[in-house]
Amino acid sequence: MNKRFASVVVASAGLLSLMSGTALADTAPPSPEQSCEGVKLTGALPAPPAGMAVVQDVTIGKDCKPVTGPVQYVPASSGKAAAKGALAAAPRGAAAAGRQFRSWNEMFDCCNIRMTGLYTTSTWSSADGRITTAATEARHEWNREPWDAGWSLKSSDKKDDCTNDCATVTTQANAEFTYKGIFDVTGKWYANTHHSNVKLNPDSTATCTFDVELRHTFIGWNWRRGCE
């Protein structure tokens, strides 16, 4: 089988702002004409304006070349973000009066079924130009098949570089998913690894950087990412 390799950087740092249920995902080992191996996608999303979410899609196109969709603004907690269940509750113990910021990092198949996803929710408070307290929680979602098969969470971790009296706060969340089911009974063909980094600032702004590594993909898979 011919194997293709793709690697792309999808960056939008120059812009003012930038994006489970049970079902059968289209994940069958593809033909050589549909196969991409060793795909890595990455991109940075500045915080959207207050009350807005910013979303962006990247599609694995022909010849394994990523096709970057347009930057779209939608009302916060609605539009694409809410429709895909990407939003999580505020972190436990976070200051109620603090700023809240959410991010999502998802892979969908060509039939619009979410396969894997990594989500963060951050809340922080500031005073005198510093972050007084901050808390971030990470959440994971993956698609299962009715016969106890499909995608699984293999490992996950989250690290905060500071949580109290900080100049800035950076949180790194990671999640590795594997697949074993009707479309690949060996469990060796598919693996999605998500990385989300969130930087919180004392002026209530934030920045997100996302990465996803895909062992194999179908042509037509979609990476969806965003923040609000």
Side-chain angles (χ1 to χ4, degrees):
M1 174 182 290
N2 294 327
K3 297 182 180 178
R4 301 176 183 143
F5 297 82
S7 179
V8 66
V9 174
V10 185
S12 303
L15 300 174
L16 293 178
S17 303
L18 294 182
M19 163 93 297
S20 69
T22 299
L24 295 182
D26 184 6
T27 54
S31 67
E33 292 74 22
Q34 296 174 304
S35 177
C36 306
E37 181 178 357
V39 175
K40 181 176 181 179
L41 306 172
T42 188
L45 308 181
M52 298 294 290
V54 183
V55 298
Q56 190 171 41
D57 294 357
V58 178
T59 301
I60 306 300
K62 294 181 179 179
D63 297 323
C64 301
K65 295 181 179 179
V67 179
T68 303
V71 173
Q72 299 183 65
Y73 298 85
V74 298
S77 301
S78 65
K80 289 186 177 181
K84 302 306 176 185
L87 305 185
R92 292 184 295 274
R99 169 84 160 91
Q100 188 174 104
F101 189 74
R102 299 181 176 97
S103 76
W104 50 98
N105 179 350
E106 305 172 299
M107 282 304 304
F108 285 75
D109 71 3
C110 56
C111 297
N112 206 36
I113 296 172
R114 181 184 57 186
M115 297 177 289
T116 54
L118 171 61
Y119 311 94
T120 66
T121 303
S122 303
T123 300
W124 73 106
S125 298
S126 303
D128 301 323
R130 292 184 66 82
I131 295 176
T132 54
T133 61
T136 296
E137 286 191 351
R139 186 169 60 88
H140 320 92
E141 297 287 345
W142 57 95
N143 188 68
R144 295 295 291 171
E145 295 164 1
W147 38 87
D148 194 26
W151 289 93
S152 299
L153 179 65
K154 181 178 179 180
S155 65
S156 65
D157 63 82
K158 180 186 72 72
K159 298 178 181 178
D160 306 301
D161 68 348
C162 184
T163 57
N164 293 282
D165 189 23
C166 314
T168 62
V169 173
T170 300
T171 298
Q172 181 182 43
N174 308 289
E176 183 179 1
F177 302 89
T178 58
Y179 176 87
K180 185 176 183 180
I182 188 173
F183 299 110
D184 174 33
V185 298
T186 70
K188 298 180 180 180
W189 189 261
Y190 297 104
N192 295 348
T193 302
H194 297 251
H195 309 283
S196 295
N197 289 271
V198 177
K199 181 181 179 182
L200 311 177
N201 302 309
D203 63 357
S204 294
T205 61
T207 303
C208 294
T209 302
F210 302 108
D211 298 277
V212 64
E213 300 165 7
L214 312 171
R215 182 184 295 167
H216 288 95
T217 74
F218 249 116
I219 300 299
W221 279 20
N222 294 280
W223 182 38
R224 298 181 183 174
R225 57 197 180 94
C227 54
E228 67 172 26

